Amino acid sequence: MLFQLLQEGEEFRASSYLQPELTPSQLAFKDLVWNSERNTIHPRPTRVSLIVTLCSCKMIPLPGTGVQVLSRHVRLCLFDGSRVLSNIHTVRATWLPKNPQTWTFSPRVMGILPSLLDGDTFVRSSSLSSDIGILFELGITYKCNSTGERGELSCGWAFLKLFTSSGIPVSSKMYELVLSGGTPYERGVEVDPSISRRAGSGVFQQFMSLRKQPVLLVKVKSPSVHSKDILNFLPETLIGGMCYIHLLVFYRQILGDALLKDRMSMQSTGQRIRLMSSPGN
């Protein structure tokens, strides 16, 4: 589902969330305000501010024969059960040929870690929805050996609700999320129904069946005071890799300098707003 949304246009890409949002009057910026005393943009605290670390995926089923796996990845976004509430962020997974059913993230490599492999993800949202949570969708890109056709195949999804029924934020800890099949709008669909069919009626057989279910391990924690201060310079709703938050903040600062600090008059600010909101910009 998330792959299809990304293919349809720019609505769910990070670039659309980084662009300053206008007020209903279209005469000023809603989420980009200049602080003349500190000579910088105003920080914007938000309701949800978390760091989510993708740790590993286990027992992920393999595609059929005749298919070459090109990459494995997890797409994640904010979701309330009916709507996607943020941009869609993609993290590439790594795996070993001897154990392709186990995916890992943020591998130890020489040099600079590519941002696509960074499993540490910041999550920000100003949504007041009581059902808000993080939707994880696992997938692979593949190539058919016979035809050369390329495509993307879902390997299951999981949903982690961020608030309890009483409105309390979920605990900072490790979560083991059992993956479901179908789409996030369906319930009770298994990723690999053959596992439950092979399970016997005994307690031990049921226990072993559960151990074979595909799962995603994620760690949720609150950002440190220093990290939260940095994240508050970003838009109120955004998901992205922790490895490039300083770059995103620098970009927002440049926007503030160009659109607010260096404006010659209120009229020039209005002209820049109209240019930014016109088609093609």
Side-chain angles (χ1 to χ4, degrees), residues 238-257:
L238 188 68
I239 294 181
M242 287 294 294
C243 62
Y244 52 74
I245 56 172
H246 290 88
L247 179 62
L248 297 179
V249 171
F250 183 53
Y251 170 73
R252 294 279 292 181
Q253 181 67 42
I254 291 176
L255 285 178
D257 289 344

Side-chain angles (χ1 to χ4, degrees), residues 5 114 154:
L5 291 177
S154 174

Side-chain angles (χ1 to χ4, degrees), residues 65-174:
T65 58
V67 173
Q68 177 187 357
V69 176
L70 302 177
S71 68
R72 292 167 165 84
H73 56 263
V74 175
R75 303 191 195 279
L76 59 156
C77 65
L78 288 162
F79 189 65
D80 67 355
S82 61
R83 297 175 300 133
V84 173
L85 303 176
S86 71
N87 62 298
I88 299 170
H89 179 59
T90 303
V91 181
R92 182 76 59 84
T94 58
W95 73 97
L96 296 175
K98 63 180 181 180
N99 190 14
Q101 289 185 284
T102 297
W103 305 4
T104 56
F105 306 90
S106 300
R108 294 183 180 276
V109 295
M110 299 299 293
I112 299 175
L113 180 71
S115 61
L116 193 60
L117 297 175
D118 186 11
D120 289 331
T121 304
F122 67 83
V123 177
R124 286 173 55 82
S125 176
S126 59
S127 172
L128 299 178
S129 171
S130 58
D131 297 321
I132 190 171
I134 303 174
L135 174 64
F136 304 89
E137 187 178 77
L138 282 68
I140 63 170
T141 55
Y142 66 87
K143 177 182 177 182
C144 290
N145 295 330
S146 58
T147 64
E149 177 187 2
R150 294 172 181 253
E152 177 150 339
L153 178 68
S154 174
C155 297
W157 61 272
F159 180 71
L160 176 62
K161 195 173 179 181
L162 295 180
F163 293 90
T164 65
S165 56
S166 56
I168 301 174
V170 295
S171 303
S172 296
K173 65 176 184 179
M174 183 79 73

Side-chain angles (χ1 to χ4, degrees), residues 1 23-24 29 58 63 67 73 80 88 103 110 141 145 168 185 214 217 220 227 233 268 270 274-275:
M1 185 188 83
T23 59
F29 293 115
K58 299 179 180 179
V67 173
H73 56 263
D80 67 355
I88 299 170
W103 305 4
M110 299 299 293
T141 55
N145 295 330
I168 301 174
Y185 299 109
L217 274 71
V220 176
S227 295
F233 285 105
S268 66
R274 286 193 292 274
L275 285 172

Side-chain angles (χ1 to χ4, degrees), residues 3-4 20 116 216 242:
F3 170 72
Q4 292 177 349
L116 193 60
L216 167 66
M242 287 294 294

